[in-house]
Amino acid sequence: MKVSPTLSQSAVFLSAALAWAPFLHAKDKDTATKKQAAPLVIPLTGSGQSTTTKLGNSYITRSPGGQSFTTSQLGSSLVTRDSKGNTWTTSKVGNSFVTRGPGGQQQTTTKLGNSFVTRDSKTGATLTTSPLGNSLQTRGNSGASWSTAPLGSSLVTRGNSNAAKKDDGKATRVIVIPGAR
């Protein structure tokens, strides 16, 4: 006996499909060209709202307090530079992406099911980024959380907890979403 899905099941499937459409499209394009799309790197700077916009071949992230980050492809790596002169380099290592930053900071991002898990080797902090509706929800083991959603041609990332405010003084972390471009 064939059972048809209920309206709510269809709505859940449709919202999941819409949320992942850019990623699936990038994967289809990659399969056709046999080349993996570069990941999208979004720096996290505590609470408040950051906006990531494509500008030419680069992505510009503007965060609260006037700090800005520019992410560009350089060879097989992505280089993210902030307005204070700090640099983060993201490279593919095996099935993971490794981001090396100032002061010996190193974060490794690995796909785990539908999520991406980022671990900082220096602080032990973990970020888990998962789809939620048409956005991506990132949660840290400190209790901080961020939501990244499309707004026009940009992506808006909002830190939405008091724990995110406490993270302001810590080293900048990044969300790395493989194949998102």
Side-chain angles (χ1 to χ4, degrees):
M1 178 176 177
K2 188 173 180 181
V3 178
S4 61
T6 65
L7 182 58
S8 62
Q9 289 171 325
S10 298
V12 168
F13 177 78
L14 180 60
S15 66
L18 290 175
W20 283 99
F23 307 109
L24 296 174
H25 174 70
K27 181 160 176 47
D28 290 343
K29 185 177 179 182
D30 295 345
T31 304
T33 61
K34 301 291 184 193
K35 181 180 175 187
Q36 180 166 356
L40 178 61
V41 176
I42 301 174
L44 298 175
T45 57
S47 62
Q49 176 176 305
S50 298
T51 304
T52 302
T53 307
K54 186 168 184 177
L55 184 62
N57 292 328
S58 301
Y59 282 84
I60 309 295
T61 301
R62 290 181 175 83
S63 60
Q67 190 175 13
S68 65
F69 300 83
T70 303
T71 301
S72 305
Q73 185 90 34
L74 185 62
S76 61
S77 300
L78 286 173
V79 176
T80 303
R81 291 186 178 93
D82 73 2
S83 51
K84 296 177 181 176
N86 297 309
T87 302
W88 292 262
T89 303
T90 302
S91 306
K92 188 165 179 20
V93 178
N95 291 328
S96 301
F97 285 88
V98 176
T99 301
R100 291 178 174 88
Q105 182 184 16
Q106 181 173 312
Q107 297 173 199
T108 303
T109 301
T110 307
K111 188 164 174 39
L112 185 62
N114 287 335
S115 301
F116 301 105
V117 178
T118 302
R119 290 184 178 87
D120 190 307
S121 63
K122 192 171 184 180
T123 64
T126 301
L127 295 173
T128 303
T129 302
S130 306
L132 182 63
N134 69 340
S135 66
L136 293 170
Q137 190 74 25
T138 301
R139 296 186 187 281
N141 56 351
S142 67
S145 64
W146 294 265
S147 177
T148 302
L151 182 63
S153 60
S154 300
L155 288 173
V156 174
T157 303
R158 292 182 177 96
N160 54 5
S161 74
N162 289 332
K165 290 179 185 174
K166 294 176 187 173
D167 285 350
D168 275 331
K170 296 182 180 177
T172 300
R173 295 175 291 175
V174 296
I175 304 172
V176 179
I177 306 168
R181 285 189 171 186

